């Protein structure tokens, strides 16, 4: 446990895209220089790790998570490994009494997620799990508007949680994107998790799932960049659509696929009995509201003199926001907005999506989490 006022001494596990991209962790951690200090970096690619460490002035470089934690001098580890490695590496971190920031999903099975959560609880450690969306101002504002009844009872929602796939755009991908399309990864775990966190963060835990899922093209070809022309055998479903039942006749339809080249629809739409909330309007506001009886007998879009909510953090601090959030929790006692129980619920939804699509049935959910709108 951290005993000083700070900064939180962290090790970065993984030197790939999320670590070094312009929106990633390392390029933006300077915003948290008062509360976070990066003292070590580990990656199986030693040459890459050494180059990244030199670029960002990180004093120690290791080859494995075991070496990283055994060397000591850490309060926390930021786990930026690929999806299939999350559980095993996070377990090592928690077993060494360190706080954990982990990329999504938290694990591959509910049993693994339960084990990590129990391990953290026994050792008095904090788990913060990506994605960071619930820290963003527009999501928080939408959640507060729904909780305050501004659009009445929510009847249904539509959520886009997809893109064209790594390598699917004209610019290609900076590294070999093959693993994204392999069984154990795929767009549901890579992208669907964002929509799941957003809608459950606003509406609370879901109760049931029904889904359709499959592979659109058995082979993908990288369109540009250093891997242009690379042919990828697709073994993970790349086209998934699912429906969440929140109880009380409140539903949400969510897509999680690698087939969305463009869209003119908002990223998330909430339809209530007395209004509508849109999030992420293309070429428009980050949040907009439509209300019935805006004036007596007149329905319309709210036209504020300034934005209802804007997300400066996305461009300003990028993915580093989740590391800063851990520091705020540990050093200042802030509430955990990205808790492991929510990450476990999102994982159960994704596993239920796979089961529903495979078996053609509705799947009941058993996990829950404390919704931000719940009263203590």
């Amino acid at each position: 446990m951290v005993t000083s006022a700070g900064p939180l001494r962290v090790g970065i596990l993984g030197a790939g895209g999320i670590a070094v991209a312009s929106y990633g962790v390392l390029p933006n951690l300077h915003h948290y220089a008062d509360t976070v200090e990066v003292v070590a970096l580990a990656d199986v690619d030693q040459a890459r790790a050494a180059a990244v460490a030199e670029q960002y002035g990180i004093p120690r470089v290791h080859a494995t998570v075991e070496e990283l934690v055994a060397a000591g001098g850490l309060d926390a580890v930021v786990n930026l490994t690929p999806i299939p490695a999350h559980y095993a590496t996070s377990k090592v971190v928690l077993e060494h009494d360190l706080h954990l920031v982990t990329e999504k999903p938290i694990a591959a099975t509910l049993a693994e997620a339960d084990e990590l959560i129990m391990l953290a609880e026994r050792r008095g450690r904090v788990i913060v799990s990506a994605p960071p969306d619930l820290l963003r101002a527009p999501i928080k504002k939408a959640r507060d508007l729904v909780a305050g009844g501004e659009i009445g009872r929510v009847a249904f929602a539509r959520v886009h949680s997809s893109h064209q796939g790594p390598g699917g755009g004209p610019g290609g991908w900076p590294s070999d994107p093959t693993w994204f399309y392999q069984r154990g990864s795929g767009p549901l775990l890579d992208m669907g998790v964002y929509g799941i966190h957003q809608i459950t963060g606003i509406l609370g835990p879901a109760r049931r799932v029904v889904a359709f899922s499959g592979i659109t093209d058995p082979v993908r070809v990288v369109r540009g960049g250093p891997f242009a022309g690379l042919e990828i055998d697709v073994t993970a479903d790349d086209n998934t659509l699912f429906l969440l039942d929140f109880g009380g006749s409140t539903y949400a339809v969510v897509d999680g696929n690698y087939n969305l080249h463009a869209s003119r629809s908002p990223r998330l739409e909430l339809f209530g009995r007395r209004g509508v909330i849109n999030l992420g309007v293309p070429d428009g506001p980050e949040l907009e509201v439509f209300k019935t009886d805006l004036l007596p007998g007149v329905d319309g879009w709210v036209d504020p003199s300034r934005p209802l909510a804007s997300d400066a953090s996305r461009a300003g601090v990028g993915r580093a926001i989740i590391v800063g959030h851990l520091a705020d929790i540990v050093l200042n006692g802030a509430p955990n907005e990205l808790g492991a129980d929510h990450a476990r619920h999102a994982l159960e939804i994704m596993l239920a999506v796979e089961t529903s699509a495979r078996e053609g049935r509705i799947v009941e959910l058993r996990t829950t989490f404390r919704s931000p709108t719940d009263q203590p």
Side-chain angles (χ1 to χ4, degrees), residues 195-225:
I196 291 169
H197 269 264
Q198 291 163 10
I199 195 61
T200 56
I202 294 171
L203 297 181
R207 298 185 183 182
R208 301 192 301 166
V209 174
V210 65
F212 298 93
S213 187
I215 294 174
T216 49
D217 291 322
V219 177
R220 293 269 183 143
V221 179
V222 179
R223 293 179 59 197

Side-chain angles (χ1 to χ4, degrees), residues 14 52 82 94 114 121 125 133 144 189 312 322 349 355:
V52 172
L94 293 171
D114 289 341
E121 290 175 348
R125 295 299 178 258
D133 298 33
D144 292 343
L189 298 177
I322 60 177
I349 289 174
T355 299

